[in-house]
């Protein structure tokens, strides 16, 4: 697994004054569900932006991703269209460089990312908040089995990864109760409450 930051060079000023809220967690934790509910709760708040990832795997009805072919993805990398890009589970992921404009305008940007890019993003942005969304292993396994998305790869391999390795989250949401309640937690974090 690799990560590549395309936003910051040594000595460059960090991008601000807005906030970057990074949502991370294991497969099956319910990140996209909570993000979707938080997006709906924030729909009238023009100070909050939910970044749409670009991915090289099949698009899913459960995620707000833009699908790209591997060739189109590499062209976008070469053209500098991504703020950051990374590889996970045999696929490529990225966030558009448009997030920089939103953060420079003072907005809060919420993004679902891999834990492997947290350090690069912390180095590039002035205010980063990392939210770990997690659940017990048996809950994760059941959710992955129910999702049954072939492009995810082997569920056992996804469940076997240690999600908190190499980073400490600022906040953790244990997503085992009502999704609406946990989405409310996420909204309060996004709002800085």
């Amino acid at each position: 697994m690799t990560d590549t930051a395309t936003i910051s060079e040594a000595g460059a000023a960090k991008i601000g004054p807005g906030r970057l809220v990074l949502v991370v967690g294991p497969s099956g934790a319910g990140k996209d569900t909570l993000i979707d509910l938080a997006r709906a709760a924030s729909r009238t708040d023009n100070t909050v932006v939910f970044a749409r990832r670009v991915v090289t795997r099949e698009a899913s009805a459960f995620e707000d991703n833009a699908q790209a072919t591997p060739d189109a993805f590499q062209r976008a990398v070469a053209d500098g269209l991504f703020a950051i890009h990374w590889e996970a589970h045999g696929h490529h992921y990225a966030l558009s460089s448009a997030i920089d404009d939103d953060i420079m305008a003072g907005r809060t940007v919420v993004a679902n990312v891999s834990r492997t890019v947290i350090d690069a993003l912390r180095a590039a942005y002035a205010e980063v908040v990392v939210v770990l969304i997690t659940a017990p292993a048996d809950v994760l396994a059941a959710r992955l089995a129910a999702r049954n998305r072939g492009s995810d790869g082997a569920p056992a391999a996804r469940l076997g990864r240690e999600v908190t390795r190499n980073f400490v989250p600022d906040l953790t949401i244990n997503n085992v109760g009502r999704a609406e309640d946990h989405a409310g937690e996420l909204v309060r974090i996004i709002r800085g409450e």
Side-chain angles (χ1 to χ4, degrees):
M1 203 177 318
T2 60
D3 62 303
T4 306
T6 59
I7 49 180
S8 180
E9 297 177 12
K14 289 188 176 189
I15 300 169
R19 298 169 60 234
L20 181 58
V21 177
L22 304 177
V23 177
V24 299
S27 296
K31 298 180 298 291
D32 290 304
T33 298
L34 297 189
I35 288 170
D36 285 346
L37 290 168
R39 180 186 296 110
S42 304
R43 70 182 171 279
T44 60
D45 186 346
N46 63 4
T47 67
V48 178
V49 176
F50 289 81
R52 191 169 190 220
R53 292 185 305 184
V54 177
V55 299
T56 60
R57 66 169 162 74
E58 167 185 323
S60 165
F62 303 105
E63 301 171 313
D64 186 25
N65 294 329
Q67 183 177 351
T69 66
D71 287 343
F73 189 95
Q74 291 308 319
R75 283 192 303 274
V77 168
D79 291 342
L81 300 180
F82 297 141
I84 192 154
H85 59 93
W86 65 94
E87 182 181 346
H89 312 296
H91 302 288
H92 295 277
Y93 299 78
L95 296 177
S96 166
S97 59
I99 69 170
D100 295 350
D101 295 333
D102 287 317
I103 289 175
M104 286 186 283
R107 296 183 190 93
T108 296
V109 173
V110 182
N112 178 351
V113 301
S114 168
R115 64 178 167 73
T116 63
V117 299
I118 291 172
D119 289 343
L121 292 168
R122 282 192 195 272
Y125 293 90
E127 187 175 352
V128 176
V129 177
V130 178
V131 182
L132 171 64
I133 297 177
T134 191
D138 60 327
V139 173
L140 299 175
R143 289 176 182 165
L144 281 179
R147 185 160 76 187
N148 194 27
R149 186 172 61 202
S151 62
D152 278 348
R158 293 180 78 94
L159 290 171
R161 292 177 49 233
E162 186 180 342
V163 174
T164 58
R165 187 182 66 219
N166 300 328
F167 84 97
V168 175
D170 297 306
L171 299 148
T172 299
I173 296 174
N174 192 17
N175 188 19
V176 293
R178 284 180 9 104
E180 293 79 5
D181 295 337
H182 297 304
E185 288 180 67
L186 182 57
V187 168
R188 288 188 294 278
I189 293 167
I190 291 167
R191 293 177 180 163
E193 297 174 357

